[in-house]
């Protein structure tokens, strides 16, 4: 990871440690975060994944829900923010909570059946993170990424210090394919009409 990106990621991590108490507010979780969580749960259930990692898990809402609803053999919640992980540990003692960046995961090659991430991919070094997801997945493993993505292409000024990047659908497909994934699904996250101002996309792939 480049030095500018590392510096920026550290700043974002610090910000979320400060904001972590507000992250679990019921209205925020229900209207903003639950729709992509529902999509990811459905993908994991259909794939019958048993060893799962939730990357940039935040306060652990999705990780704990995966544990309750899918009862996997192994579930890991991975985040870089100590504040977020402190909140997460209070939700479940069955989830393995780990501090690590998305681009350097603490798993052996082919160790997992599924890697998921929601509402955080725009902060990652995206090619590096997807290559790392591919590394830790077993053949046939599932990756599901739900991320902010504009409905219309916007011209953006390149900047190595830009805090986030929200890829359009065609760029997400290219990123997945460049990392070695075969795309099985891509669609807009389904939301109630009054929350559709939030434009997010789920892209799902498998490791050949």
């Amino acid at each position: 990871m480049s030095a500018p990106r590392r510096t920026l990621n550290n700043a974002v991590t610090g910000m979320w440690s400060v904001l972590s108490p507000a992250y679990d507010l019921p209205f925020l979780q229900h209207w903003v975060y639950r729709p992509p969580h529902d999509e990811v749960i459905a993908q994991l259930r259909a794939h019958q994944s048993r060893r799962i990692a939730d990357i940039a898990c935040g306060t652990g809402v999705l990780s704990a829900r995966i544990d309750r609803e899918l009862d996997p053999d192994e579930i890991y919640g991975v985040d870089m923010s100590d504040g977020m992980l402190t909140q997460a540990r209070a939700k479940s003692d069955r989830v393995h909570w780990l501090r690590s960046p998305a681009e350097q995961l603490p798993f052996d090659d082919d160790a997992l059946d599924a890697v998921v991430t929601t509402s955080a991919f725009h902060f990652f070094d995206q090619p590096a993170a997807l290559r790392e997801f591919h590394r830790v997945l077993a053949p046939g493993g599932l990756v599901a990424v739900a991320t902010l993505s504009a409905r219309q292409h916007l011209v953006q000024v390149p900047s190595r210090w830009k805090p986030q990047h929200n890829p359009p659908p065609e760029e997400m497909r290219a990123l997945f394919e460049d990392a070695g994934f075969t795309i099985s699904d891509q669609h807009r996250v389904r939301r109630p009409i009054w929350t559709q101002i939030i434009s997010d996309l789920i892209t799902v792939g498998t490791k050949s």
Side-chain angles (χ1 to χ4, degrees), residues 132-207:
E132 187 70 346
F133 297 172
H134 189 275
R135 180 187 69 78
V136 302
L137 283 171
L142 176 88
V143 60
V145 176
T147 186
L148 296 173
S149 175
R151 294 181 183 274
Q152 295 182 349
H153 180 69
L154 302 175
V155 176
Q156 298 181 344
V157 178
S159 170
R160 63 178 183 170
W161 289 98
K162 186 164 51 183
Q164 63 183 57
H165 176 56
N166 306 321
E170 62 274 12
E171 184 179 339
M172 283 296 294
R173 296 181 71 88
L175 285 166
F176 268 55
E177 290 166 355
D178 288 348
F181 291 108
T182 299
I183 294 171
S184 57
D185 191 10
Q186 185 184 66
H187 60 266
R188 292 286 167 189
V189 171
R190 301 172 181 91
R191 290 183 170 278
I193 191 168
W194 55 87
T195 66
Q196 287 182 4
I197 190 173
I198 302 169
S199 178
D200 43 359
L201 179 81
I202 184 167
T203 306
V204 183
T206 55
K207 177 177 175 176

Side-chain angles (χ1 to χ4, degrees), residues 15-193:
M15 176 190 73
W16 281 116
S17 289
V18 172
L19 295 178
S20 59
Y23 190 80
D24 281 346
L25 290 173
F27 81 90
L28 192 64
Q29 283 296 326
H30 186 76
W31 297 119
V32 176
Y33 297 112
R34 189 174 181 89
H37 291 182
D38 289 345
E39 300 266 7
V40 164
I41 291 280
Q43 293 288 343
L44 291 171
R45 182 176 283 115
H47 185 259
Q48 299 183 333
S49 308
R50 302 305 305 161
R51 299 170 298 166
I52 303 164
D54 175 20
I55 310 302
C57 66
T59 61
V61 173
L62 177 58
S63 305
R65 185 177 166 196
I66 289 169
D67 181 50
R68 290 193 309 271
E69 297 186 16
L70 302 182
D71 191 27
D73 297 333
E74 301 171 19
I75 171 67
Y76 301 90
V78 182
D79 203 276
M80 276 293 291
S81 165
D82 290 324
M84 289 289 193
L85 290 171
T86 296
Q87 300 275 106
R89 290 187 184 99
K91 289 185 173 65
S92 173
D93 58 5
R94 284 168 42 91
V95 178
H96 301 282
W97 305 108
L98 303 173
R99 188 180 188 278
S100 179
E103 301 85 359
Q104 294 176 309
L105 296 175
F107 304 110
D108 293 335
D109 295 357
D110 304 338
L112 301 172
D113 300 321
V115 172
V116 302
T117 185
T118 61
S119 307
F121 188 71
H122 47 283
F123 288 123
F124 297 169
D125 179 333
Q126 294 164 0
L130 283 169
R131 288 193 299 268
E132 187 70 346
F133 297 172
H134 189 275
R135 180 187 69 78
V136 302
L137 283 171
L142 176 88
V143 60
V145 176
T147 186
L148 296 173
S149 175
R151 294 181 183 274
Q152 295 182 349
H153 180 69
L154 302 175
V155 176
Q156 298 181 344
V157 178
S159 170
R160 63 178 183 170
W161 289 98
K162 186 164 51 183
Q164 63 183 57
H165 176 56
N166 306 321
E170 62 274 12
E171 184 179 339
M172 283 296 294
R173 296 181 71 88
L175 285 166
F176 268 55
E177 290 166 355
D178 288 348
F181 291 108
T182 299
I183 294 171
S184 57
D185 191 10
Q186 185 184 66
H187 60 266
R188 292 286 167 189
V189 171
R190 301 172 181 91
R191 290 183 170 278
I193 191 168

